[in-house]
C-alpha cells in the first residue's frame, strides 16, 4: 500500500458563531504517500486541525470519503485508532503524573509488550534528553519539554501513521530542533509515515510533500521544490542605507502592495518578493537608496504569494501606508532617554532562582526583544517589569517608578498584551474596549471617540464576541486594548504565538509604526526572525542574561559557531551558555 | 470632587463589565435564575414537617359501638387515612415494616365492657418510629382525639389550656421554612459566584490584565462585590415573591428592614466568597473551599433543626455563621414583624464578618500573586 | 480486541486515576475530611429533639394551688421555665427572641379551678412550628401531672367515669431520638457527596485540559474509561462508609438491627449510583463549573431536602412525591433507615436494591455513550 490517507470530495461543516454553517473542509481530495513526511500548511481557520481530527476518527465527514491505512475511518474509527498515533495541538499530558507514569500509561493503552517497552523507552528518553527527569511531574516541565514528552507518549510504539497537529507552537528554537530531530530519525530509520501541520515554513521545507490549505480548500500541493518554483525570479534582498534600521525599509516596502508581495527584515537586510506584473520604474524608485540583489526563492515566499492571492476575499486589512496605521500617540520627552532601568534584578521561588542578577536599560521609542528558551525566566522578568510580581532584590524602574509600589496613575502609562488571550471572552469587542478604556479613566465623549478610533484602526467588528474571534483578530483586539489609553510603554508577551504569517506581518507593521512615534516596546517571542524587527535584544537562559545588543551584535557574538540567521545564532548562544555548567533543565 | 467622580466612574465600568460577563451568556442567566425558582417551589412543598397524611390501620377486636365511634372520630379528622382494617394481630408487623401504615390502632376485645363498667379502657397505638418527628406528631394527634372523646364521656381535663400561637397561628412549618429559604438558597450561589469571580479571572489570565490597569484594590473589591450582592438580592427577591404570592404567607414586618437585613447578610457572604476567591489559585480550589464551607454553614444555621437544640459548643460556633443570623433576621422581620431595635444584635456578627473578610480579600488580590 | 487488552488497559487507567486522586489533596479533603466533619455535625449538631425550651411563666395568681399547678414545669428536662412578673415584660421577651413561650396563670385561677373551670393561657412563638408544637405537648404533660395529683388528693376519684387510656408503643425508635434517623441518613449524604463533588469533576476536567483527545486516539474503549474512573472512588466511598458505620455504632450508639453485610452491600450499591451519576453529569456538561453547579443542585441538595432525610415524604404533595421517587437517594434513604431501625425486611430490600441496580446500569451505559470517541 503506497497511500496512507486518501480523501475524496471530503466535506465538513460546522455551525459558526453567527449561527450560519460554514465549511471547515470544503471538497478536499488528496492522497498522502507512505514512508515520508507530509506537511499541511495554511493560515488560521484553514481546516488543518479539522482534517487531522477526521483522519484520527474523532470527527465524521459530512460528505466524501476518507480512507486511512486502507480503512474507511468513518465506518471503523477504532480500527484506525489502533494503528495510528495522533498528537493534538494541546497534547493531553497528565500534569500530576510523572514523566515515567505518562509514558507507562500510553504504553499500556497501546498494549506495548514489556520486553519491547524497555528498549523503546530508553530510546525515547535518550532522544528527548529527558532520562534525568523521569520522576518529575509533567506539570513541572517547561513548555518545550512538555511538547517533547507529548511526542514521546505518542511514539511509545511504532505506529503505521503518525499525525502531529502543530507540534511546535509556543516552543523555543532549541526544543523545536530537538522535536524535529526525533521525527526525522524515525522517518529515516523506521520508514515512518508522518503527517504534520505547521506554521513554520522551514519545517514544511523538510517534508516530502506539502499541502497548502486556505479556508477549507486545498490551494496547492507538491514537493517543496515545485511549490517554491512559483516565486522563482521574484525574490530579492535589499540592503538598507547605512544608519537606517532594516525595519524602516521593510515598512516602506510592505506598505506598497501594488509592487511588493511581501517583505521581512533578515540579518540586517530586507528580503522581499516583488509582484510579477509590477512596474519596474516605480519599484526602482521605491528602492532608490537600497540596492536589491536576487536571492534564491524559499517555500515561505511561495506560501506568502499564495496567501496574498487568496487573502483578499477574507478582507485582511492591510495598512495602505504607515501613517494611517500609526496610532496618534503624543509622547513627552526626548527619544533615547532610558524609560526602563533594571539593575541586579533577582527573583527566587523558594530555593529556585528564576531570574539571576539581570541588568539592562531600554530607551524611549526603542523596540526591545526579550528572547530565551521555554522556562528561561523571560516571563518572570516580564511580570516583574509590569508590576505583577515583586522582585526578590534589585532595582527596577519603569517610567521612573517601580510599578509594584507606584501609585495607580503610574500604571496608567503602560500597556500590556499577555501571552494567551486574556480579555473577557463572552463580552463583545466594543464592551471589552469600553471596559478597559473606563478602567484607564476615560469616560463620556472622550471614551466613545477613543473606542471608535481603535475599532477603526484595527479593523474590528464591534459587535462580535471576543472569545469567538479567529486567533489573528483576537491578537488585534488584545493590541487595541493594550493601546486604548495611548500608553508610553507597551509590554507584549509572545504576542504572535499561534498566529499565521500574514497576520504577523500586519502586527509588526503596527509595532514598528508605534515605535516610530516614540512608544517604547518590550516584546518576547519564539519566532527568531521577529527579533530582526527589534532595535536591541536580550537572550536569557536559566535566569541569566547571555547576550544583549542589536540583532547584528548578537549575531556577531555567535559568529564563531557559523550561525548566519537569528535562529541558529540563538541556538548557538544558548548552547554556549549551557556548556560550562552542564545542561540545566 | 473631580477625583471622586473619576474614582466612582472606574468602579462603574468594572461593575458594568462584571454584570455583562455574567448575564450575556444565556446559560449563566438560567443558571442564576432557575435554581432559585425551582428550589423555592420544590422545598416550599417538600421541606415540610407538618403531618397532613397519616396512613393507619385498625385492628378492632371488640367490634362494638364505642370502638366504632372512636375510629369514626379518627377518620373524621381528615389527617388519618385508614389503609387497612386488620383482622388479626399477626398482620400488624407487616403493616408497619412495609411502611404501609404509620400507626396501627388496636382495640382490645373487652374495650366496650371496660367503658361500660366505668373503668379505664386501654387503646393500643403502635407507631413506626423510623422518623421520630413524624411519629411524635401522629401520637399527638391521636392523643388529642382521645382527650376530646374522653371529654364527651364526661371527663373534663383538670386544667384547660388556652393556646394562642403568635406569628404562625396554625403551626405551619412552611411558614418557618420558607422565609429561611430567602436567605439560604441565595447564599449558596452568591457565595460561590463571589468565590469564582476572581479565581475565574486568575485562571483565564484576565486578572493580570486588570491588575496592570490603574484600578486600586478597593475599586476592584467594590466592583467585584456589587454584582454578587445584586445577584444575591435578586435571587432573594425571586424567592420572596414566590412566598408572598404563591404560598401566600403574610409578611408582617417592614420591607425596608428586610432588605437592609438581606443586604448586610449578603455583604458578609460575599466577603467570605471573595476571600476564598483571593486565596484560591484556580476555579477548582475555589469551588472546593466553597463546598467545604457551605455544608457546615447550612447545617449549623437553624435551617433544618433549631440552633437551640444543638450542644453548647456548636451553638457558640454558630456566631461565626452569617447564615444563622441571616435566617434569624429574615424569619423575625418577616413573620414576627420585628423592628430594628428587636433584631439589632443580629446585625453585629454579620457586620463583623464583612469588616474582616472584605478588606482581607482586597489585600489578597495583589499579594496572593506570588 | 481480546480480553487481555481490556484488562491491561483497565488496570493502567485505574492506576492513573488512583494516582491523580491521591496527588490532588483537594480530593482527599472532600473525600475523607468533609465526611468526618459531616459525621460530627450530624451526630452532634442536628437534632429535632427540643430540650430545655425556654418558657416564661407569668404567675398572676400566687396561691399555693396555682404554684402547685405549674410546679411540674421545673421537673421537666424538656423545659427551662423562668418566672416573670408582668405579662408586658414576657411579651417583650418573646418579641426579642428571649423566650419561646409564655405560660400565664390568671389572677382568678384558684377560684375558677375550685369551680371546676381552671384555665391557663399558653402563648407560643409559632415561627418555629416544630419547637412550638413540642413545647405545647410538654406543657400539657407537665400541667396534667400535678393537676391529677391534686384532684386525687381532693379525693375526687373519678369513680364510675369511663375513659380511654392510650397505651403507646413506638417501634424501631422507642426513645424517639432524631439522631437515630439522622445518622443513617448521613450515610446517604456522604455517599452522595463523593459522587456529586468528586466524580462530577473527572470527565469535565479531562475535557477542559484536552487530555481526552489524546486518549481517544488509542485502543482504549469508552467503557474502560468509565470503569477506571469509578474504581478509586469506590475505595474512598468504602472508607467513608466504614467511618459512618463505626461512628453510628460507637459514637452515637444508634441501633443497627439489620445485618451488617446487607447494610454494606446496599450502601455500596448506592455508592455506585452516586458515582455514576456524578460521572454522567461530568461527561454531559464537559465543564467543571457547570458540572459542580448541576451536581450540587440536581444531586446533593435534593438528596438532603427531598429524599425523606429530614422531611417526611408523607407530608408532601403528589407532584413532589413523584419527583422524590425519581431520586435514587430516596430509595436508598428508606432502605437504610429500615435496615438500621427495623432490620432485614426482605421485600423492601429486594425492591430498593433492584431500583439502585437499575440506576447504576442505566447511568453507566449513558456515561459510556457520552464518552464515545468523538469531538462532535
Amino acid at each position: 500500500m503506497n497511500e496512507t490517507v486518501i480523501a475524496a470530495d471530503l466535506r465538513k461543516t460546522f455551525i459558526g458563531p453567527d449561527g450560519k454553517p460554514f465549511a471547515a473542509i470544503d471538497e478536499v481530495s488528496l492522497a498522502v504517500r507512505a514512508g515520508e513526511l507530509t506537511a499541511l500548511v495554511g493560515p488560521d481557520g484553514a481546516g488543518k486541525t479539522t482534517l487531522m481530527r477526521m483522519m484520527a476518527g474523532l470527527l465524521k465527514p459530512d460528505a466524501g470519503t476518507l480512507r486511512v491505512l486502507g480503512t474507511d475511518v468513518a465506518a471503523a474509527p477504532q480500527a484506525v485508532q489502533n494503528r495510528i498515533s495522533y498528537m493534538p495541538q494541546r497534547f493531553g499530558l497528565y500534569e500530576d503524573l510523572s514523566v515515567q507514569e505518562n509514558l507507562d500509561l500510553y504504553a499500556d493503552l497501546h498494549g506495548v509488550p514489556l520486553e519491547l517497552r524497555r528498549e523503546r523507552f530508553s530510546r525515547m528518553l535518550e532522544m528527548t534528553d529527558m532520562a534525568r527527569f523521569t520522576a518529575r511531574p509533567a506539570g513541572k516541565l517547561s513548555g518545550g519539554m512538555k511538547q517533547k514528552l507529548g511526542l514521546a507518549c505518542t511514539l511509545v510504539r511504532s505506529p503505521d501513521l503518525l499525525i502531529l497537529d502543530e507540534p511546535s507552537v509556543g516552543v523555543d528554537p532549541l526544543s523545536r530542533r530537538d522535536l524535529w530531530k526525533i521525527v526525522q530519525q524515525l522517518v529515516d530509520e523506521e520508514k515512518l509515515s508522518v503527517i504534520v501541520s505547521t506554521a513554520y515554513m522551514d519545517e514544511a521545507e523538510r517534508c516530502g510533500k506539502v499541502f497548502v490549505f486556505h479556508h477549507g480548500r486545498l490551494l496547492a500541493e507538491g514537493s517543496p521544490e515545485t511549490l517554491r518554483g512559483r516565486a522563482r525570479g521574484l525574490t530579492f534582498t535589499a540592503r538598507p542605507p547605512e544608519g537606517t534600521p532594516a525595519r524602516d525599509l521593510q515598512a516602506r516596502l510592505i506598505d506598497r502592495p501594488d509592487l511588493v508581495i511581501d517583505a521581512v527584515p533578515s540579518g540586517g537586510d530586507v528580503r522581499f518578493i516583488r509582484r510579477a506584473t509590477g512596474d519596474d520604474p516605480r519599484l526602482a524608485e521605491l528602492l532608490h537608496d537600497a540596492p536589491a540583489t536576487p536571492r534564491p526563492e524559499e517555500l515561505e515566499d511561495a506560501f506568502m504569494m499564495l496567501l496574498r492571492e487568496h487573502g483578499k476575499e477574507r478582507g485582511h486589512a492591510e495598512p495602505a501606508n504607515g501613517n494611517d496605521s500609526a496610532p496618534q500617540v503624543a509622547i513627552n520627552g526626548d527619544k533615547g532617554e532610558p524609560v526602563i532601568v533594571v539593575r541586579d534584578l533577582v527573583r527566587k521561588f523558594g530555593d529556585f532562582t528564576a531570574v539571576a542578577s539581570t541588568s539592562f536599560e531600554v530607551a524611549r521609542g526603542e523596540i526591545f526583544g526579550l528572547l530565551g528558551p521555554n522556562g528561561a525566566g523571560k516571563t518572570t522578568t516580564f511580570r516583574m517589569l509590569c508590576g505583577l510580581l515583586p522582585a526578590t532584590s534589585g532595582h527596577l524602574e519603569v517610567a521612573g517608578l517601580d510599578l509594584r509600589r507606584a501609585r495607580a496613575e503610574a500604571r496608567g502609562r503602560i500597556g500590556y498584551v499577555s501571552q494567551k488571550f486574556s480579555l473577557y471572552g463572552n463580552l463583545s469587542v466594543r464592551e471589552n474596549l469600553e471596559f478597559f478604556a473606563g478602567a484607564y479613566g476615560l469616560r463620556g465623549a472622550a471614551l466613545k471617540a477613543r473606542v471608535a478610533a481603535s475599532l477603526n484602526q484595527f479593523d474590528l467588528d464591534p459587535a462580535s464576541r471576543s472569545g469567538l474571534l479567529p486567533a489573528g483578530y483576537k491578537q488585534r483586539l488584545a493590541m487595541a486594548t493594550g493601546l486604548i489609553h495611548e500608553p508610553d510603554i507597551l509590554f507584549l508577551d509572545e504576542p504572535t504565538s499561534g498566529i499565521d504569517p500574514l497576520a504577523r506581518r500586519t502586527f509588526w507593521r503596527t509595532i514598528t509604526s508605534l515605535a516610530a512615534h516614540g512608544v517604547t516596546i518590550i516584546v518576547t517571542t519564539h519566532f527568531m526572525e521577529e527579533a530582526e524587527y527589534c532595535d536591541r535584544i536580550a537572550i536569557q537562559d536559566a535566569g541569566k542574561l547571555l547576550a544583549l545588543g542589536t540583532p547584528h551584535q548578537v549575531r556577531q557574538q555567535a559568529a564563531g559557531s557559523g550561525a548566519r540567521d537569528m535562529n541558529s545564532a540563538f541556538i548557538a548562544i544558548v548552547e554556549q551558555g549551557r556548556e560550562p555548567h552542564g545542561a540545566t533543565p | 470632587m473631580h477625583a471622586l467622580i473619576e474614582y466612582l466612574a472606574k468602579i462603574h465600568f468594572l461593575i458594568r463589565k462584571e454584570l455583562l460577563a455574567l448575564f450575556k451568556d444565556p446559560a449563566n442567566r438560567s443558571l442564576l435564575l432557575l435554581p432559585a425558582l425551582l428550589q423555592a417551589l420544590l422545598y416550599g412543598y417538600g421541606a415540610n414537617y407538618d403531618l397532613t397524611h397519616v396512613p393507619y390501620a385498625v385492628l378492632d377486636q371488640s367490634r362494638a359501638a364505642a370502638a366504632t365511634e372512636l375510629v369514626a372520630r379518627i377518620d373524621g379528622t381528615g389527617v388519618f387515612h385508614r389503609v387497612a382494617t386488620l383482622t388479626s394481630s399477626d398482620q400488624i408487623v407487616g403493616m408497619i415494616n412495609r411502611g404501609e401504615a404509620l400507626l396501627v390502632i388496636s382495640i382490645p376485645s373487652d374495650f366496650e365492657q371496660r367503658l361500660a363498667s366505668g373503668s379505664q379502657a386501654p387503646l393500643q397505638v403502635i407507631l413506626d418510629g423510623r422518623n421520630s418527628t413524624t411519629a411524635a406528631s401522629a401520637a399527638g394527634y391521636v392523643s388529642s382525639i382521645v382527650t376530646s372523646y374522653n371529654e364527651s364521656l364526661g371527663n373534663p381535663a383538670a386544667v384547660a389550656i388556652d393556646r394562642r400561637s403568635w406569628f404562625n397561628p396554625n403551626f405551619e412549618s412552611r411558614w418557618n421554612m420558607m422565609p429561611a429559604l430567602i436567605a439560604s438558597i441565595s447564599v449558596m450561589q452568591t457565595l460561590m459566584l463571589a468565590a469564582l469571580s476572581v479565581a475565574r479571572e486568575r485562571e483565564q489570565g484576565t486578572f493580570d490584565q486588570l491588575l496592570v490597569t490603574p484600578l486600586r484594590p478597593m475599586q476592584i473589591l467594590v466592583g467585584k462585590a456589587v454584582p454578587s450582592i445584586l445577584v444575591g438580592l435578586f435571587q432573594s427577591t425571586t424567592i420572596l415573591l414566590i412566598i408572598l404570592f404563591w404560598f401566600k404567607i403574610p409578611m408582617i414586618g417592614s420591607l425596608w428592614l428586610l432588605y437592609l437585613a438581606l443586604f448586610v447578610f449578603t455583604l458578609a457572604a460575599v466577603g467570605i466568597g471573595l476571600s476564598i476567591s483571593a486565596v484560591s489559585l484556580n476555579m477548582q480550589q475555589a469551588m472546593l473551599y466553597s463546598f467545604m464551607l457551605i455544608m457546615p454553614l447550612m447545617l449549623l444555621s437553624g435551617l433544618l433543626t433549631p440552633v437551640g437544640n444543638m450542644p453548647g459548643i456548636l451553638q457558640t460556633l454558630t456566631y461565626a455563621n452569617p447564615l444563622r443570623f441571616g435566617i434569624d433576621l429574615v424569619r423575625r422581620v418577616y413573620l414576627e414583624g420585628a423592628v430594628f431595635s428587636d433584631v439589632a444584635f443580629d446585625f453585629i456578627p454579620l457586620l463583623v464578618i464583612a469588616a474582616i473578610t472584605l478588606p482581607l480579600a482586597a489585600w489578597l488580590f495583589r499579594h496572593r500573586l506570588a | 480486541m481480546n480480553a487481555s487488552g481490556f484488562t491491561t488497559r483497565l488496570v493502567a487507567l485505574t492506576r492513573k486515576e488512583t494516582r491523580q486522586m491521591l496527588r490532588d489533596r483537594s480530593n482527599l479533603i472532600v473525600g475523607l475530611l468533609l465526611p468526618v466533619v459531616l459525621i460530627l455535625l450530624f451526630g452532634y449538631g442536628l437534632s429535632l429533639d427540643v430540650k430545655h425550651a425556654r418558657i416564661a411563666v407569668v404567675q398572676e395568681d400566687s396561691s399555693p394551688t396555682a404554684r402547685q399547678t405549674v410546679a411540674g414545669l421545673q421537673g421537666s428536662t424538656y423545659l427551662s421555665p423562668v418566672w416573670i412578673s408582668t405579662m408586658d415584660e414576657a411579651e417583650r421577651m418573646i418579641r426579642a427572641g428571649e423566650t419561646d413561650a409564655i405560660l400565664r396563670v390568671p389572677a382568678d385561677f384558684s377560684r375558677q379551678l375550685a369551680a371546676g373551670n381552671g384555665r391557663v393561657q399558653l402563648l407560643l412563638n409559632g415561627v418555629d412550628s416544630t419547637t412550638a408544637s413540642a413545647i405545647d405537648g410538654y406543657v400539657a404533660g407537665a400541667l396534667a401531672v400535678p393537676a391529677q395529683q391534686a384532684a386525687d388528693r381532693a379525693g375526687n376519684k373519678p369513680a364510675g367515669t369511663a375513659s380511654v387510656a392510650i397505651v403507646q408503643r413506638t417501634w424501631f425508635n422507642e426513645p424517639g431520638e432524631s439522631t437515630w434517623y439522622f445518622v443513617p441518613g448521613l450515610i446517604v449524604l456522604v455517599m452522595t457527596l463523593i459522587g456529586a463533588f468528586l466524580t462530577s469533576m473527572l470527565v469535565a476536567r479531562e475535557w477542559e485540559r484536552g487530555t481526552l483527545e489524546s486518549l481517544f486516539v488509542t485502543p482504549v474503549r469508552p467503557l474502560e474509561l468509565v470503569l477506571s474512573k469509578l474504581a478509586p472512588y469506590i475505595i474512598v466511598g468504602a472508607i467513608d462508609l466504614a467511618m459512618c458505620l463505626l461512628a453510628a455504632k460507637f459514637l452515637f450508639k444508634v441501633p443497627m438491627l439489620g445485618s451488617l453485610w446487607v447494610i454494606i452491600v446496599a450502601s455500596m450499591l448506592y455508592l455506585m449510583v452516586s458515582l455514576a451519576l456524578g460521572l454522567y453529569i461530568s461527561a454531559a456538561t464537559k465543564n467543571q463549573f457547570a458540572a459542580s453547579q448541576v451536581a450540587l443542585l440536581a444531586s446533593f441538595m435534593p438528596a438532603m431536602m427531598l429524599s425523606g432525610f429530614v422531611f417526611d415524604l408523607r407530608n408532601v404533595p403528589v407532584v413532589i412525591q413523584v419527583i422524590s421517587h425519581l431520586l435514587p437517594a430516596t430509595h436508598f434513604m428508606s432502605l437504610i433507615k429500615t435496615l438500621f431501625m427495623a432490620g432485614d425486611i426482605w421485600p423492601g430490600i429486594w425492591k430498593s436494591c433492584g431500583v439502585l441496580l437499575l440506576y447504576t446500569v442505566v447511568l453507566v451505559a449513558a456515561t459510556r455513550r457520552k464518552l464515545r470517541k468523538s469531538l462532535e
Side-chain angles (χ1 to χ4, degrees), chain A residues 93-363:
Chain A
L93 288 174
Y94 290 98
E95 306 223 324
D96 32 15
L97 299 189
S98 72
V99 169
Q100 186 65 53
E101 287 163 352
N102 269 293
L103 284 170
D104 282 339
L105 173 66
Y106 279 92
D108 283 334
L109 293 182
H110 282 292
V112 182
L114 279 173
E115 55 277 16
L116 288 181
R117 207 177 282 195
R118 198 170 307 121
E119 184 265 335
R120 190 85 188 168
F121 279 178
S122 62
R123 176 144 174 238
M124 279 298 143
L125 289 170
E126 183 214 339
M127 285 202 296
T128 51
D129 190 25
M130 271 195 305
R132 290 163 293 159
F133 307 125
T134 48
R136 187 179 289 199
K140 293 256 161 70
L141 298 174
S142 72
M145 301 253 283
K146 276 184 193 160
Q147 213 64 7
K148 280 194 267 182
L149 176 57
L151 186 62
C153 283
T154 19
L155 290 172
V156 285
R157 55 97 190 245
S158 189
D160 295 334
L161 170 66
L162 174 64
I163 301 177
L164 304 170
D165 191 1
E166 302 223 17
S168 40
V169 164
V171 173
D172 65 74
L174 270 94
S175 305
R176 204 154 70 85
R177 188 194 57 182
D178 294 349
L179 273 176
W180 276 92
K181 215 192 280 171
I182 301 168
V183 174
Q184 194 67 54
Q185 211 175 333
L186 290 171
V187 173
D188 295 345
E189 290 171 12
E190 300 181 4
K191 277 284 163 210
L192 189 65
S193 307
V194 182
I195 302 176
V196 61
S197 72
T198 179
Y200 290 89
M201 288 308 127
D202 61 334
E203 295 181 351
E205 201 120 23
R206 300 159 164 264
C207 298
K209 187 153 184 184
V210 178
F211 292 93
V212 183
F213 284 88
H214 189 249
H215 273 247
R217 289 178 170 277
L218 186 57
L219 282 191
E221 60 178 294
S223 65
E225 295 76 37
T226 345
L227 288 175
R228 232 184 274 152
R230 292 168 176 259
R232 189 154 302 142
L234 301 175
T235 51
F236 298 87
T237 302
R239 167 142 306 175
E242 203 61 36
T244 315
R247 66 164 193 258
D248 288 1
L249 177 62
Q250 185 260 345
R252 198 203 300 167
L253 294 180
I254 207 162
D255 287 347
R256 289 297 297 272
D258 55 329
L259 299 172
V260 174
I261 296 172
D262 184 39
V264 279
S266 171
D269 298 336
V270 176
R271 299 150 32 106
F272 72 98
I273 316 169
R274 53 163 296 181
R275 282 214 180 272
T277 55
D279 182 340
D280 280 342
R282 277 166 62 207
L283 183 62
E285 190 194 335
L286 185 66
L287 288 165
H288 63 93
D289 55 352
T293 43
R295 64 174 169 93
E297 68 279 359
E298 287 171 21
L299 187 56
E300 172 143 10
D301 298 316
F303 180 63
M304 289 308 292
M305 283 177 71
L306 272 167
L307 290 191
R308 295 272 183 200
E309 270 168 43
H310 295 266
K312 296 286 184 292
E313 58 197 82
R314 198 178 169 193
H316 245 291
E318 296 301 332
N321 64 60
N323 288 341
D324 270 9
S325 69
Q328 301 308 304
V329 189
I331 303 294
N332 307 313
D334 297 326
K335 251 187 135 171
E337 78 182 87
V339 288
I340 294 176
V341 180
V342 173
R343 266 200 299 276
D344 302 323
L345 191 66
V346 175
R347 174 69 214 195
K348 290 182 179 168
F349 295 103
D351 51 5
F352 169 70
T353 307
V355 174
S357 193
T358 296
S359 304
F360 58 86
E361 285 186 2
V362 182

Side-chain angles (χ1 to χ4, degrees), chain B residues 17-71:
Chain B
K17 186 271 297 181
E18 290 284 320
L19 289 175
L20 275 173
L22 264 183
F23 288 106
K24 276 201 82 163
D25 191 350
N28 263 354
R29 277 202 297 271
S30 45
L31 208 55
L32 290 176
L33 175 66
L34 279 183
L37 204 74
L38 278 178
Q39 289 187 88
L41 287 171
L42 276 177
Y43 305 155
Y45 286 113
N48 195 340
Y49 286 117
D50 306 333
L51 206 50
T52 52
H53 181 88
V54 182
Y56 84 109
V58 175
L59 173 62
D60 182 0
Q61 286 165 321
S62 77
R63 294 202 185 81
T68 314
E69 202 212 321
L70 187 60
V71 171

Side-chain angles (χ1 to χ4, degrees), chain C residues 271-288:
Chain C
L271 178 69
M272 293 294 292
V273 180
S274 159
L275 295 180
L277 180 63
L279 213 52
Y280 177 75
I281 291 172
S282 194
T285 55
K286 298 187 181 181
N287 164 317
Q288 291 189 70

Side-chain angles (χ1 to χ4, degrees), chain C residues 46-266:
Chain C
L46 286 198
S47 167
L48 284 170
D49 310 329
V50 179
K51 277 176 186 141
H52 307 294
R54 298 163 305 172
I55 181 165
V57 183
V58 182
Q59 193 144 15
E60 292 169 355
D61 177 355
S62 54
S63 68
T65 327
R67 267 183 290 163
Q68 196 69 54
T69 306
V70 296
L73 295 177
Q74 277 169 298
S76 165
T77 52
Y78 303 111
L79 297 169
S80 52
V82 188
W83 268 261
I84 302 298
S85 51
T86 68
M87 198 58 193
D88 286 347
E89 168 64 6
E91 285 187 8
R92 186 202 62 76
M93 284 176 69
I94 208 168
R95 284 213 166 80
E98 290 166 23
T99 187
D100 298 316
I102 303 172
L103 182 69
R104 181 189 192 187
V105 186
D108 60 353
F109 175 76
S110 318
R111 205 152 36 81
Q112 294 282 356
L113 185 69
N117 197 17
R119 304 192 87 81
V120 293
Q121 240 180 39
L122 178 63
L123 220 152
L124 296 153
N125 182 341
V127 169
D128 183 351
S129 52
T130 321
T131 306
S133 310
I135 294 177
D136 186 14
Y138 298 148
V139 170
L143 294 191
V145 178
Q148 199 60 50
Q149 289 168 348
D152 290 351
R153 271 196 304 280
N156 249 348
K157 194 78 186 159
T161 35
S163 67
V164 176
I166 296 175
V167 182
Q168 183 179 319
R169 280 188 48 210
T170 307
W171 285 6
F172 313 136
N173 187 354
E174 189 69 57
E177 286 202 40
S178 55
T179 314
W180 284 25
Y181 73 92
F182 278 145
V183 169
L186 171 67
I187 296 178
V188 183
L189 285 200
V190 169
M191 301 284 113
T192 310
L193 177 107
I194 303 170
F197 296 159
L198 292 182
T199 51
S200 70
M201 296 284 140
L202 290 178
V203 185
R205 190 157 54 207
E206 294 222 27
W207 273 116
E208 282 184 1
R209 295 185 184 168
T211 45
L212 271 188
E213 192 176 345
S214 321
L215 220 51
F216 278 171
V217 189
T218 65
V220 94
R221 303 293 192 276
L223 185 64
E224 297 159 6
L225 287 175
V226 178
L227 296 181
S228 68
K229 285 184 184 299
L230 292 179
Y233 293 91
I234 294 177
I235 307 292
V236 174
I239 296 172
D240 288 337
L241 179 63
M243 290 196 300
C244 288
L245 292 177
L246 289 174
K249 180 121 188 118
F250 298 106
L251 219 50
F252 308 123
K253 308 212 162 34
V254 175
M256 262 184 253
L257 297 181
S259 348
L260 188 62
W261 72 269
V262 182
I263 292 177
I264 291 173
V265 168

